[in-house]
Amino acid sequence: MADEPVDAERELWSLGHYPTVARHLMPIAVATVDAAGVRRGDRVLDVGTGSGNAAAEAARRGAVVRGIDLSPQQIEHARARCAAEGLTVDLSVGDAQALEVPDGSVDVVVSVMAVIFAPDHTRAAAELARVLRPAGRLAMTSWASGGWSEGWRERIVALLPPQPEGGPVPDEWSEPGEFARRLEAVGLSEVRVTEEPFTFRFASVDEGMETFLTKAGPFVRTMATLESLGRGAEARRTFQAALEEANAATDGSLILPAPYLLGRATKP
């Protein structure tokens, strides 16, 4: 039986060209692997590996790494990237809500802006806890509130038709208390969630628009929807206005504040 929310997420992350976006997110992946304390010989699972940022970083540190992603396209990107960098990572298609990984079989679980998109956050969090060994370590991230994209979302909601229920709500991970509660609810301990600074940087507003609107799956899908409604030009103007309003640069470049939450936990 088809799982429509999962199928929709798989399709979403096949849009655009995620490796272009992932290059900007590499500092967050490094911080997440640092927070997990990845060491040589650790068995590491990267859930929602995308083009392999965190998986590659863990492998460079001598860990035994497996990366899982819902999207076959992302797994192919990750394989090409790891091969080019001479890194050994076991990469396969999989669902964060139903990991094909034995109980208690990994030392570390990491997830960088990935599990937050799982349609059923309870199932996904429970799976992260299940695969960790006792005293195993988890580090994962979500976007925090207050970032540049809030202005865009506030503007765009008036242009979009009502959204179907049952899909993921990644913004619900953006409140530190809720983030921590979700990890504690699946039996993880020593939970700590901190807000960390991050900025997207582009040479210009035009470069930022091109990157988000043609490379990042969620933006590509939103624009396709609005173009089908005859509102594509209006949406582009709206997006440009949101970028210009959020821009922290004064030299013609584009600097977008995008704080994120970094959650850490252990398996009792």
Side-chain angles (χ1 to χ4, degrees), residues 17-27 143 148-149 198-216 219 239-240 242-244 246-258:
H17 186 257
Y18 186 71
T20 300
V21 180
R23 285 195 288 272
H24 291 272
L25 301 180
M26 191 63 202
W143 295 114
W148 73 272
S149 62
F198 178 73
T199 53
F200 285 97
R201 295 176 180 270
F202 302 95
S204 65
V205 170
D206 285 345
E207 181 182 280
M209 288 186 66
E210 168 71 12
T211 298
F212 286 116
L213 297 186
T214 68
K215 310 299 183 185
F219 292 91
F239 189 67
Q240 181 172 346
L243 294 185
E244 291 173 345
N247 190 7
T250 58
D251 60 358
S253 66
L254 177 63
I255 298 176
L256 298 174

Side-chain angles (χ1 to χ4, degrees), residues 2 11 21 40-41 81 85 101 106 109 169 171 196 203 237 246 249 257:
E11 179 183 4
V21 180
R40 179 170 297 278
R81 183 250 188 91
E85 296 183 20
V101 179
V106 299
V109 171
V169 188
D171 286 353
E196 307 293 338
R237 291 193 299 271

Side-chain angles (χ1 to χ4, degrees), residues 229-243:
L229 297 172
R231 310 190 81 168
E234 182 181 4
R236 289 186 66 86
R237 291 193 299 271
T238 299
F239 189 67
Q240 181 172 346
L243 294 185

Side-chain angles (χ1 to χ4, degrees), residues 12 15 152-153 156-157 159-161 163 212-213 216-229 231-232 235 239:
L12 171 65
L15 302 174
W152 157 249
R153 290 198 300 270
I156 208 66
V157 69
L159 304 181
L160 285 168
Q163 299 302 295
F212 286 116
L213 297 186
F219 292 91
V220 173
R221 184 169 67 181
T222 296
M223 287 301 297
T225 298
L226 290 167
E227 285 169 359
S228 73
L229 297 172
R231 310 190 81 168
F239 189 67

Side-chain angles (χ1 to χ4, degrees), residues 1 11 13 21 29 31 41 54 61 66 95 101 117 128 140 149 161 181 210 243:
M1 183 175 179
E11 179 183 4
W13 296 107
V21 180
R61 300 183 188 202
R66 181 175 181 184
D95 181 356
V101 179
F117 288 98
L128 302 185
M140 62 173 286
S149 62
R181 187 198 66 76
E210 168 71 12
L243 294 185

Side-chain angles (χ1 to χ4, degrees), residues 43-89:
R43 297 163 298 170
V44 176
L45 178 65
D46 179 17
V47 181
T49 194
S51 57
N53 276 358
E57 180 63 21
R60 278 191 286 271
R61 300 183 188 202
V64 178
V65 185
R66 181 175 181 184
I68 291 174
D69 199 277
L70 191 63
S71 164
Q73 289 91 335
Q74 299 310 327
I75 290 298
E76 290 307 310
H77 288 315
R79 283 178 179 151
R81 183 250 188 91
C82 290
E85 296 183 20
L87 299 170
T88 299
V89 178

